[in-house]
């Protein structure tokens, strides 16, 4: 069935429909989805309730899959596939996690504006999040368009940012939130990586402002001055006009391009069950 697109925001994000994503896609359909992602960066699919196997098979059609922080701390896993990342407040044994459980730190870290796996190279490309259980209220996900944020900068600001490099670290947000459960070996297992503050998206060829919560400093600047600049850029990039808010319903699949967007989950009652499964592709070099 042909891919249909309905824009959801003046700048980016669209509702997609037509193909059954739970079945193998024709190569031409994959290319159409990739082209839509280059234009809209976020695609929302309704009524696509995946099994674990179906979600992994769908994601693999777009590239090799990334394990994210599971590479540093595999631990117990309640899914049958390591490539499925558990975005939930549920323990490996199936209960809603207590407020002092490590899962809650992950939930709260996800409420900070970030790009998945910006703390590693090669970069993450697409993330695909499937809604299994949603709370009665709250728990929405917001996305911002980093291309539009760059376009809105003043010319003198664009010139200042050209050539600057930021450092991204996997455990920056976890440590900031007070998570002391990582061992020294785990903290060293994913060393910081460096990215230009201004990047060009390979699909749309548009420049973008590469900000987010994983960024720790500006290379060559004092820590204080760099962090203030990073905070200013994040505030700019997440202004209301650059943001799309998704309200989840069971069976939704939202697919976004980590190379040109940031996202964050919104608050919900942590005593209510919220289960989403994520797959993420990584860049092929």
């Amino acid at each position: 069935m042909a891919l249909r697109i309905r824009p959801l925001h003046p700048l980016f994000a669209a509702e997609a429909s037509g193909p059954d994503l739970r079945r193998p896609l024709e190569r031409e359909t994959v290319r159409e989805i990739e082209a839509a992602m280059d234009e809209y960066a976020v695609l929302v699919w309704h009524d696509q309730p995946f099994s674990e196997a179906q979600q992994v098979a769908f994601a693999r059609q777009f590239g090799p899959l990334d394990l994210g922080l599971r590479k540093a701390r595999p631990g117990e896993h309640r899914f049958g596939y390591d490539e499925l990342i558990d975005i939930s407040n549920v323990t490996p044994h199936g209960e809603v996690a207590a407020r002092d459980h490590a899962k809650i730190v992950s939930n709260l870290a996800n409420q900070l504006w970030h790009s998945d796996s910006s703390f590693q190279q090669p970069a993450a490309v697409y993330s695909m999040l499937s809604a299994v259980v949603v709370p009665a209220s709250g728990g929405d996900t917001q996305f911002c368009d980093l291309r539009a944020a760059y376009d809105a900068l003043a010319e003198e600001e664009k010139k200042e940012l050209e050539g600057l490099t930021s450092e991204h670290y996997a455990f920056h947000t976890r440590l900031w939130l007070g998570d002391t459960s990582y061992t020294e070996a785990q903290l060293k297992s994913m060393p910081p990586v460096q990215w230009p503050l201004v990047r060009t998206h390979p699909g749309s060829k548009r420049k973008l402002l590469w900000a987010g919560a994983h960024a720790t400093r500006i290379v060559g600047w004092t820590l204080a001055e760099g962090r203030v600049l990073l905070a200013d850029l994040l505030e700019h990039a997440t202004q209301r006009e650059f943001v799309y808010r998704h309200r989840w319903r069971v069976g939704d699949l939202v697919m976004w391009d980590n190379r040109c967007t940031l996202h964050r989950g919104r608050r919900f009652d942590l005593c209510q069950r919220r289960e989403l499964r994520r797959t993420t592709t990584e860049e092929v070099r």
Side-chain angles (χ1 to χ4, degrees), residues 35-98:
M37 289 292 291
D38 285 343
E39 181 173 358
Y40 294 101
V42 178
L43 293 181
V44 175
W45 309 78
H46 296 301
D47 304 317
Q48 299 275 357
F50 284 96
S51 68
E52 292 182 20
Q54 287 170 335
Q55 185 172 353
V56 170
F58 168 70
R60 282 179 175 156
Q61 296 173 102
F62 296 91
L65 300 188
D66 171 43
L67 301 184
L69 286 176
R70 279 186 53 74
K71 291 193 289 288
R73 188 163 66 178
E76 293 182 280
H77 195 46
R78 64 194 188 97
F79 298 141
Y81 297 83
D82 286 340
E83 298 91 341
L84 286 172
I85 298 172
D86 190 10
I87 309 297
S88 79
N89 60 340
V90 179
T91 72
H93 304 291
E95 308 97 1
V96 173

Side-chain angles (χ1 to χ4, degrees), residues 41-263:
V42 178
L43 293 181
V44 175
W45 309 78
H46 296 301
D47 304 317
Q48 299 275 357
F50 284 96
S51 68
E52 292 182 20
Q54 287 170 335
Q55 185 172 353
V56 170
F58 168 70
R60 282 179 175 156
Q61 296 173 102
F62 296 91
L65 300 188
D66 171 43
L67 301 184
L69 286 176
R70 279 186 53 74
K71 291 193 289 288
R73 188 163 66 178
E76 293 182 280
H77 195 46
R78 64 194 188 97
F79 298 141
Y81 297 83
D82 286 340
E83 298 91 341
L84 286 172
I85 298 172
D86 190 10
I87 309 297
S88 79
N89 60 340
V90 179
T91 72
H93 304 291
E95 308 97 1
V96 173
R99 282 186 128 79
D100 60 353
H101 194 279
K103 288 290 294 184
I104 299 304
V105 176
S106 293
N107 271 272
L108 296 175
N110 284 332
Q111 292 178 24
L112 302 172
W113 285 107
H114 66 284
S115 172
D116 291 334
S117 295
S118 73
F119 46 73
Q120 67 181 29
Q121 294 174 346
V125 182
Y126 301 144
S127 284
M128 292 149 266
L129 193 58
S130 175
V132 181
V133 179
V134 298
S137 62
D140 301 345
T141 300
Q142 292 178 310
F143 301 87
C144 75
D145 186 345
L146 297 175
R147 303 166 303 181
Y150 176 82
D151 291 344
L153 290 170
E155 287 304 315
E156 58 268 25
E157 292 174 306
K158 293 177 181 178
K159 290 178 183 177
E160 179 188 13
L161 298 180
E162 285 289 346
L164 293 181
T165 299
S166 62
E167 187 172 271
H168 292 234
Y169 181 46
F171 304 103
H172 179 57
T173 57
R174 266 59 176 183
L175 296 173
W176 184 73
L177 290 170
D179 187 351
T180 59
S181 64
Y182 289 93
T183 67
E184 193 66 26
Q186 288 169 338
L187 293 175
K188 291 180 178 178
S189 66
M190 301 182 74
V193 300
Q194 295 182 358
W195 292 107
L197 267 181
V198 177
R199 300 175 63 194
T200 299
H201 183 260
S204 64
K205 308 304 181 187
R206 293 174 61 187
K207 286 189 174 183
L208 60 101
L209 179 60
W210 190 239
H214 298 311
T216 64
R217 67 186 185 96
I218 302 295
V219 177
W221 287 30
T222 65
L223 184 64
E225 190 177 3
R227 286 189 171 174
V228 169
L229 176 61
L230 289 169
D232 283 347
L233 295 177
L234 186 58
E235 181 179 6
H236 167 77
T238 56
Q239 294 177 87
R240 181 173 297 181
E241 59 263 39
F242 307 136
V243 172
Y244 162 72
R245 186 181 191 115
H246 181 67
R247 292 176 170 82
W248 292 96
R249 65 193 198 202
V250 173
D252 281 356
L253 180 87
V254 178
M255 182 174 181
W256 66 88
D257 191 331
N258 286 291
R259 300 167 299 177
C260 61
T261 64
L262 299 177
H263 64 281

